[in-house]
Amino acid sequence: HVQLVESGGGSVERGGSLRLSCTASGDRVDTYCMGWFRHTQQNYREGVAAIDSDDTTSYADSVKGRFTISQDNAENTLYLQMNSLKPEDTAMYYCALDLRPCTVIPRYVGRWGQGTQVTVS
């Protein structure tokens, strides 16, 4: 089965940038909808961005214009470019596979990664 491994998290100052990566192994993932979620310090989970197999994207209102989701099918890797970071973006970020429907509020998620921490001060 597919395994998802995130990387790229870290600590940055307000206004800084980070790029998260999610590398899939075990199967090709380019036919699935994939996305990024975050679990905040206030203990709720928020869908951040989603991308379908045809590269259609959707974003949470809180990140529109600042975050960009993309995928490299040759590398079987999902990315999240995060710019203009704010302290409220601080969270554990998770990669997810097989979102149904393909939005930031899916009713079903097939698989999760283990998460990578992003801290903005």
Side-chain angles (χ1 to χ4, degrees), residues 74-95:
E75 297 293 328
N76 224 28
T77 299
L78 179 73
Y79 298 101
L80 185 69
Q81 177 67 43
M82 305 186 294
N83 298 328
S84 302
L85 282 162
K86 305 174 182 180
E88 51 263 45
D89 294 318
T90 295
M92 183 71 81
Y93 284 72
Y94 295 88
C95 170

Side-chain angles (χ1 to χ4, degrees), residues 3-90:
Q3 289 188 317
L4 306 173
V5 178
E6 299 96 331
S7 61
S11 297
V12 295
E13 293 186 348
R14 179 194 294 265
S17 298
L18 284 173
R19 188 175 81 155
L20 305 184
S21 300
C22 171
T23 300
S25 61
D27 198 1
R28 301 293 308 173
V29 296
D30 52 0
T31 60
Y32 293 96
C33 171
M34 297 189 72
W36 290 96
F37 293 76
R38 62 188 180 187
H39 197 99
T40 71
Q41 293 176 318
Q42 291 72 37
N43 205 32
Y44 68 88
R45 187 174 66 195
E46 176 186 27
V48 174
I51 185 166
D52 211 340
S53 56
D54 63 357
D55 287 338
T56 301
T57 58
S58 59
Y59 295 92
D61 288 344
S62 58
V63 306
K64 280 181 182 176
R66 301 188 298 122
F67 291 12
T68 303
I69 189 171
S70 62
Q71 56 190 358
D72 184 332
N73 292 330
E75 297 293 328
N76 224 28
T77 299
L78 179 73
Y79 298 101
L80 185 69
Q81 177 67 43
M82 305 186 294
N83 298 328
S84 302
L85 282 162
K86 305 174 182 180
E88 51 263 45
D89 294 318
T90 295

